């Protein structure tokens, strides 16, 4: 789930769960929204790795 993951030019360097009670809305297949209590959310820190001309 967490770890070093490369997608295009982004590298995930940190992944953790921040524990905080909050409400989210989940939509069912009929289009109705239901409110649900969550206890945490996922945080990812990404680095945009780019390379190119360094003379400028």
């Amino acid at each position: 789930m967490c770890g070093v993951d490369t997608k295009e030019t982004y590298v995930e360097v940190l992944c953790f769960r921040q524990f905080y009670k909050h409400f989210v809305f989940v939509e069912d297949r009929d289009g109705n929204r239901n409110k649900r209590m969550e206890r945490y959310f996922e945080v990812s820190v990404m680095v945009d790795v780019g390379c190119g001309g360094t003379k400028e």
Side-chain angles (χ1 to χ4, degrees), residues 26-42:
V26 180
E27 190 171 335
D28 61 8
R29 59 183 141 182
D30 295 331
N32 299 321
R33 293 183 184 172
N34 296 321
K35 187 166 65 171
R36 182 174 74 190
M37 171 77 96
E38 290 285 329
R39 297 176 189 256
Y40 64 88
F41 54 91
E42 299 284 336

Side-chain angles (χ1 to χ4, degrees), residues 1-53:
M1 181 179 196
C2 294
V4 176
D5 187 21
T6 57
K7 293 182 181 177
E8 296 181 14
T9 60
Y10 296 105
V11 176
E12 184 179 37
V13 294
L14 182 63
C15 179
F16 61 92
R17 289 184 179 175
Q18 177 67 42
F19 290 93
Y20 182 76
K21 290 183 183 178
H22 63 285
F23 288 101
V24 294
F25 292 94
V26 180
E27 190 171 335
D28 61 8
R29 59 183 141 182
D30 295 331
N32 299 321
R33 293 183 184 172
N34 296 321
K35 187 166 65 171
R36 182 174 74 190
M37 171 77 96
E38 290 285 329
R39 297 176 189 256
Y40 64 88
F41 54 91
E42 299 284 336
V43 178
S44 293
V45 178
M46 308 292 280
V47 175
D48 184 8
V49 179
C51 60

